[in-house]
Amino acid sequence: MAQRACFCLVLLACVNGDGQLVRLVSPLDNGVGRLEVYYDGQWGTVCDDDFDNAEAIIVCRQLGRYHSGFKPKAIPTFGYGTGKIWLDDVRCNGSEVMLSSCTHRPWGAHDCSHDEDVGIICDERSISMKLTPGYSSGLLQVHHSGSWGTVCDDGFGQVEASVVCRALGYQ
């Protein structure tokens, strides 16, 4: 019996329960970048005041990019954002599943400028699947045997999409 080639592509869109999204913005999709959050219909940055590795771990978990081994790190900046600065004085106790669950000033209240935008380094070695080009939607790719490949949509339904979204840190 001849094997059939599969040229199907899977596109997904994953959203957190409260619609709040996080992303790392950088020229590369490697788990490193300026932290941005989506609130009130627009992306904005997070101030580095009180932002430390505990908060970085929450973000990396939310992105599905944290596993044992390398600990995520907050870094001074990864380029300057534009537009809104949504969060300041973020403090997490470590049990939160989303950054928005941590204590912080009211959305949009801050005493920062974009030269204080927080950057994060997640464990890029832990990435086994990703959505490209986006953070919460795009082409599903998996990492296997040292290279990235796509997933065929044969038999791929809502149950499989839910599993992928949960693995990437979404509900």
Side-chain angles (χ1 to χ4, degrees):
M1 177 181 268
Q3 278 189 322
R4 67 183 186 122
C6 182
F7 299 102
C8 310
L9 302 176
V10 175
L11 296 174
L12 293 175
C14 307
V15 178
N16 286 320
D18 68 353
Q20 199 263 321
L21 302 174
V22 296
R23 68 182 181 186
L24 298 179
V25 178
S26 74
L28 305 170
D29 181 26
N30 65 352
V32 176
R34 180 182 61 254
L35 174 60
E36 292 189 357
V37 294
Y38 189 78
Y39 180 76
D40 198 27
Q42 59 186 311
W43 288 100
T45 60
V46 177
C47 184
D48 65 3
D49 295 349
D50 293 323
F51 203 98
D52 204 345
N53 293 349
E55 290 75 24
I57 289 170
I58 300 299
V59 170
C60 293
R61 278 189 197 145
Q62 189 172 347
L63 290 169
R65 294 185 176 220
Y66 173 67
H67 303 281
S68 60
F70 178 87
K71 297 289 185 189
K73 295 181 179 134
I75 54 176
T77 190
F78 200 89
Y80 300 154
T82 59
K84 294 278 191 181
I85 297 174
W86 278 128
L87 292 177
D88 189 12
D89 295 331
V90 178
R91 291 181 196 90
C92 302
N93 65 28
S95 65
E96 299 87 355
V97 293
M98 295 186 307
L99 188 66
S100 60
S101 300
C102 301
T103 62
H104 54 79
R105 286 184 182 207
W107 288 92
H110 63 85
D111 60 358
C112 303
S113 59
H114 282 296
D115 64 344
E116 296 177 80
D117 291 341
V118 72
I120 294 181
I121 300 173
C122 293
D123 182 3
E124 64 184 77
R125 296 167 294 171
S126 71
I127 303 170
S128 61
M129 67 179 124
K130 64 183 179 178
L131 299 174
T132 56
Y135 295 90
S136 62
S137 65
L139 174 67
L140 174 61
Q141 293 185 306
V142 293
H143 192 261
H144 179 72
S145 298
S147 63
W148 288 98
T150 58
V151 176
C152 182
D153 69 353
D154 289 354
F156 198 98
Q158 184 59 48
V159 171
E160 293 78 13
S162 294
V163 170
V164 169
C165 287
R166 281 195 307 275
L168 293 172
Y170 300 99
Q171 292 182 356

